Amino acid sequence: DLGEYFMKRLNELADKHKIIGEVRGLGLMIGVELVKDEKKTPAAAEALKIREKMRERGFLIGAGGAYGCTLRIEPPLMITKDQVDRAVDALDEVLKEN
């Protein structure tokens, strides 16, 4: 249930931020692919900056994938809805800064 909720919240961010090309995952293993443009050019450098800014806010996420442009979100299985909301809100703030 929380995985679906997390993905729903992240898809809401995708509607707000053009840098998010796709949100995909299963359960709580989620990938947020970042792109530079409508041609879906990978945004690897941006992914690394976002990962670092999230770390500064206390959230550990990875960056990887074939082109290094996918944010990897794998929270603990004991995550709460409130923690999901705080993580998505922090990502929203970071994306606004970029």
Side-chain angles (χ1 to χ4, degrees):
D1 292 340
L2 281 175
E4 288 177 14
Y5 177 72
F6 212 148
M7 293 211 16
K8 175 184 169 279
R9 290 287 323 273
L10 290 169
N11 277 305
E12 291 170 359
L13 285 189
D15 292 339
K16 289 174 60 175
H17 302 282
K18 292 182 181 185
I19 194 169
I20 298 178
E22 181 181 21
V23 176
R24 59 183 174 268
L26 182 62
L28 286 170
M29 293 182 65
I30 301 169
V32 179
E33 185 176 9
L34 303 181
V35 297
K36 293 183 180 187
D37 51 39
E38 292 179 6
K39 295 179 184 179
K40 303 234 179 206
T41 305
E46 292 84 346
L48 293 176
K49 288 179 190 175
I50 290 167
R51 179 186 70 177
E52 181 61 23
K53 287 181 179 182
M54 288 295 288
R55 185 192 63 76
E56 291 169 1
R57 286 172 169 75
F59 298 94
L60 297 178
I61 61 175
Y67 302 103
C69 65
T70 302
L71 299 177
R72 294 178 176 168
I73 301 172
E74 298 176 20
L77 296 177
M78 305 270 307
I79 193 168
T80 66
K81 190 174 181 181
D82 180 57
Q83 291 169 325
V84 169
D85 287 333
R86 285 188 293 167
V88 174
D89 292 345
L91 182 57
D92 188 26
E93 289 174 14
V94 167
L95 292 172
K96 285 177 188 174
E97 292 174 5
N98 255 359

